[in-house]
Amino acid sequence: MTTFQDIINSEKPVLVDFFATWCGPCQMLSPILKEVKDSLGEDVSIIKIDVDKNQALAAQYQVRGVPTMLLFQKGKTLWRQSGVLSKQQIIQAIKNNQF
């Protein structure tokens, strides 16, 4: 079984979306992240973490509000942002923060 640590230790950037099912802005962000994935393809992995089902993980990364996105590469946090951003803002953040 692949663990969260295995995923974020990837050579390619991994965008983690900490969300909650009851969160309106989180639901707005979901199709935007799909567009980001469609644009960047295999250049990035995007995973979603439900904070209600993964409270320890959310606490470990000090996620206080949802949605919160963190960008990881090789296990390091490269970028962090709370709230809903546009597709272009997210793509720019990923491109600006790669190793």
Side-chain angles (χ1 to χ4, degrees):
M1 187 175 127
T2 307
T3 67
F4 183 77
Q5 283 307 125
D6 293 337
I7 294 168
I8 66 169
N9 282 328
S10 168
E11 288 290 319
K12 76 176 168 181
V14 179
L15 183 67
V16 180
D17 171 27
F18 286 92
F19 78 102
T21 53
W22 46 262
C23 161
C26 300
Q27 293 166 4
M28 289 169 45
L29 185 60
S30 201
I32 296 169
L33 291 177
K34 184 176 180 342
E35 290 176 21
V36 169
K37 180 63 176 168
D38 290 346
S39 293
L40 296 179
E42 291 305 308
D43 292 343
V44 67
S45 295
I46 298 177
I47 64 169
K48 296 173 73 66
I49 302 289
D50 185 332
V51 295
D52 292 326
K53 293 180 181 165
N54 299 279
Q55 292 177 357
L57 197 58
Q60 180 182 344
Y61 289 98
Q62 298 171 343
V63 174
R64 305 258 185 268
V66 286
T68 295
M69 293 175 281
L70 277 79
L71 182 68
F72 294 93
Q73 191 171 15
K74 298 179 187 165
K76 291 187 172 55
T77 306
L78 305 178
W79 175 80
R80 172 187 191 111
Q81 180 69 47
S82 294
V84 178
L85 297 179
S86 72
K87 171 185 160 189
Q88 269 321 111
Q89 289 171 307
I90 296 169
I91 289 173
Q92 202 60 51
I94 293 168
K95 289 185 174 178
N96 287 348
N97 290 291
Q98 292 180 9
F99 286 141

